[in-house]
Amino acid sequence: MRSKLLVVVAAAALAAGAYAFDGAGTESRRPFRSFALESFDGDSLSLADLEGRVALVVFWASWCAACQAELPLLDSLNSAVDHPEFAIIGINEEGNEAAARGYAAAIELRMPILLGRGDMWQRYQYLGLPYTV
C-alpha cells in the first residue's frame, strides 16, 4: 500500500509540473485558474480559500476506472498528512450528482469533494480523468 501511495504522489507531482510550467522556468509559470464550487456538504470552496496552502486537486468521475483506483489512495494521503498548509480537494466532473455522492459514500471518502457538474473541462481542458494537479 505504501508503494502505491508513493506512486500516486509522484504521478501527482509530475502532473502538476506538466500543467504549471512550460519548460522555461518558474518565471513563466501559468497560474491555476480560479474556481468557486459547491461542496457535497453544501458549503462553497474557492481557490482563494486555499491561498497559502499546498493544494492537490483531482478531477474525477464515479464511472472512471482510473479514478476508482486513485481516489482511495489520495484520500488516505489526505488523512495521513494532517497539516494545515496542505489540502487535497476532489472536483467531481459528472452531471449525475447522485452517482458521485453514492460512490463517495461507498468508499467513505473523507477529503473535501466539490461539484464541477461537468463544466470544469471547458475551464481547464484536461486530457482525461482522473486529472490531478
Side-chain angles (χ1 to χ4, degrees):
M1 177 71 172
R2 183 173 229 126
S3 63
K4 286 183 183 179
L5 187 59
L6 291 175
V7 168
V8 169
V9 171
L14 290 173
Y19 178 80
F21 301 98
D22 66 5
T26 58
E27 63 277 354
S28 61
R29 193 172 105 177
R30 294 175 291 167
F32 192 75
R33 298 186 77 184
S34 182
F35 64 82
L37 299 170
E38 181 184 352
S39 72
F40 273 5
D41 300 332
D43 297 328
S44 179
L45 183 74
S46 70
L47 183 60
D49 295 330
L50 299 170
E51 187 172 337
R53 300 170 74 185
V54 174
L56 189 148
V57 178
V58 57
F59 297 85
W60 66 278
S62 64
W63 48 261
C64 165
C67 300
Q68 292 171 7
E70 183 177 82
L71 279 173
L73 296 173
L74 290 176
D75 196 51
S76 293
L77 176 63
N78 187 55
S79 295
V81 181
D82 185 19
H83 195 282
E85 294 178 8
F86 179 72
I88 296 179
I89 308 297
I91 299 179
N92 179 266
E93 266 294 89
E94 59 194 290
N96 185 344
E97 186 177 328
R101 287 179 180 274
Y103 178 74
I107 65 168
E108 300 177 353
L109 283 180
R110 294 173 304 271
M111 66 187 196
I113 301 296
L114 305 177
L115 296 166
R117 297 188 168 104
D119 297 329
M120 297 296 99
W121 180 87
Q122 294 170 349
R123 177 176 295 263
Y124 299 103
Q125 299 194 357
Y126 49 80
L127 296 176
L129 297 175
Y131 182 64
T132 306
V133 292

